[in-house]
Amino acid sequence: MNDRKLRRKVRLSYAISTVSIAMVLFLLGSASYLILSLMNAADRMRESVAVHVMLHDMDDDVREAVGRRLTAMDDVKEITFVSKDDAVRDFIEYAGDDFTEFLDFNPLPDSFEVRLRADGDRDALRGFERTVGAWTEVREVVYQRAVAEQIGANLTKFRFVLLVFGFMLMLISIILLNNMIRVSIYSKRYLISTMKLVGADRRFILRPFLASSVRQGIYAALMASVMFVLLVAGIGEGMPEIRYIGERTQLLWIIGGMFVMGMLISVAFTMPAVDKFVRMRTNAVHLY
C-alpha cells in the first residue's frame, strides 16, 4: 500500500514538474516572439526614413551609373528613381496646387529615393550623406534629420530595455525551473536512499534520473510548442496588424530553442539535485 502511495506521489510530482517546465518554456518562447516582433517593427520604422538624393541635370547613362553606385553601397537597402515630372505630380497631389502654371517650367530635379538598412549603426545615415553628397553628380542629400536622429536615439534605448527585460525573464525562469526540479527530486529521495542501500553507485543512480529528465524536457517542450503555435495562430487571426512579419524559420528557431532549453535545463538541474541525496547519509534523509 505504501509503495502504491509512493508511486502515485512520484508520478504526480513528475506530472506537476513537467507542466511547470512547459509553462516556463511557453513563457520564454512567447517573450522571445514578442521581443523579435518589436525589434522587427523597430527595424521597419528605421528603414521607413526616406533619403532623397537630388541630382544635377545629366544624361540617362550618367544617371543610371549613379543608381548603380547607390545600389552597390552596403548600407543601401533599396532605391527608387523619381523623375522631375513624377516629383511635380507628387507635389501637386500633396499640396493641391500646380506651381508650374506660374513658373512655366519645372524647377524640381530628378532624384533617387533611398532607404537604408536597419542593421547599420547610428552614424550610417550621416556617413551616407557625407559620402553621396560629395559626388559631383549630386546636388544635395535631403532627409528629415530631426526625425531620423530621434528614431535612432529611441531605438537604441528601446533595444536596451528589451535586452534587459529578456535577461531578467531568463534569470527568473531559470530560478523557477531550478526550484521545480529540486522539489520533484525531493519527492524521490527515499527511492534514491533505497537504491543506495542495495549497493547502487552514483553513476547507476544518476543514469535513470538523467534519462527521465531528458524525456521530461521533451514532453514539456512539446506542450509548450503546442501552446506557442496556438498563440501565434490566434494573433495572426485576431490581430493581423501586429503579427510578427518574419520567416517561418525564425519561428522554428524559437520552437527548437524550447526543446533544447527544456532538455538542457532539466539535465543541468537534475544532476546536482540527485547528487545531493546520493551523497547524503541514509539515516539523514528523513531529516531533510
Side-chain angles (χ1 to χ4, degrees):
M1 190 67 177
N2 290 333
D3 291 341
R4 291 181 180 178
K5 289 183 179 180
L6 180 60
R7 283 195 294 269
R8 283 200 300 268
K9 184 177 180 180
V10 170
R11 285 196 295 267
L12 179 61
S13 176
Y14 185 85
I16 294 175
S17 178
T18 302
V19 172
S20 300
I21 294 173
M23 294 304 297
V24 171
L25 292 177
F26 170 71
L27 177 62
L28 288 175
S30 301
S32 300
Y33 177 82
L34 174 63
I35 291 173
L36 286 175
S37 299
L38 293 176
M39 293 186 70
N40 183 266
D43 288 343
R44 292 199 304 273
M45 182 184 300
R46 187 172 183 178
E47 291 176 350
S48 67
V49 177
V51 183
H52 299 276
V53 179
M54 305 299 184
L55 305 176
H56 292 292
D57 293 334
M58 61 186 69
D59 295 334
D60 292 342
D61 293 340
V62 178
R63 184 177 63 247
E64 291 175 359
V66 173
R68 289 193 295 270
R69 290 175 66 186
L70 289 172
T71 303
M73 297 181 70
D74 294 334
D75 293 328
V76 173
K77 180 181 180 181
E78 61 180 16
I79 67 170
T80 303
F81 175 70
V82 181
S83 67
K84 57 173 61 180
D85 294 332
D86 292 336
V88 168
R89 284 194 294 268
D90 291 341
F91 181 85
I92 294 173
E93 183 179 351
Y94 174 77
D97 294 326
D98 186 359
F99 62 90
T100 58
E101 294 178 355
F102 304 97
L103 299 178
D104 294 330
F105 72 97
N106 180 5
L108 299 179
D110 294 332
S111 65
F112 284 102
E113 183 178 292
V114 180
R115 299 190 186 276
L116 302 182
R117 300 183 186 278
D119 53 3
D121 56 33
R122 289 183 58 183
D123 295 329
L125 187 54
R126 293 182 180 178
F128 175 85
E129 180 184 11
R130 287 193 300 269
T131 300
V132 176
W135 295 355
T136 56
E137 302 88 351
V138 175
R139 178 180 297 182
E140 63 177 330
V141 177
V142 179
Y143 63 93
Q144 294 181 312
R145 290 176 174 80
V147 174
E149 291 176 0
Q150 187 65 37
I151 290 176
N154 290 340
L155 288 183
T156 300
K157 297 176 183 177
F158 179 68
R159 287 177 175 174
F160 176 76
V161 171
L162 285 180
L163 290 176
V164 172
F165 170 75
F167 174 78
M168 294 300 297
L169 180 61
M170 176 76 71
L171 182 62
I172 293 172
S173 300
I174 289 176
I175 293 174
L176 289 175
L177 286 176
N178 184 31
N179 292 334
M180 293 170 190
I181 293 175
R182 284 179 177 274
V183 170
S184 177
I185 299 300
Y186 172 80
S187 66
K188 304 172 186 178
R189 64 192 186 281
Y190 290 111
L191 177 60
I192 297 173
S193 178
T194 301
M195 295 174 71
K196 287 173 58 180
L197 289 174
V198 298
D201 60 8
R202 175 178 177 274
R203 182 177 299 179
F204 183 86
I205 296 174
L206 277 174
R207 190 181 303 122
F209 282 97
L210 294 180
S212 177
S213 68
V214 171
R215 290 194 299 270
Q216 186 180 42
I218 294 175
Y219 297 152
L222 281 172
M223 296 172 59
S225 298
V226 171
M227 292 188 291
F228 175 72
V229 170
L230 292 176
L231 173 68
V232 173
I235 292 176
E237 291 293 330
M239 295 178 290
E241 65 277 5
I242 65 171
R243 184 173 59 182
Y244 172 52
I245 305 176
E247 299 293 337
R248 289 185 178 180
T249 52
Q250 293 175 308
L251 297 179
L252 293 177
W253 273 109
I254 295 177
I255 295 175
M258 291 182 185
F259 279 89
V260 173
M261 283 195 63
M263 290 184 289
L264 288 181
I265 290 176
S266 295
V267 171
F269 292 153
T270 295
M271 185 176 295
V274 173
D275 196 52
K276 179 176 183 178
F277 290 106
V278 170
R279 298 179 182 277
M280 186 178 295
R281 290 180 302 169
T282 303
N283 59 359
V285 171
H286 69 284
L287 299 175
Y288 183 79

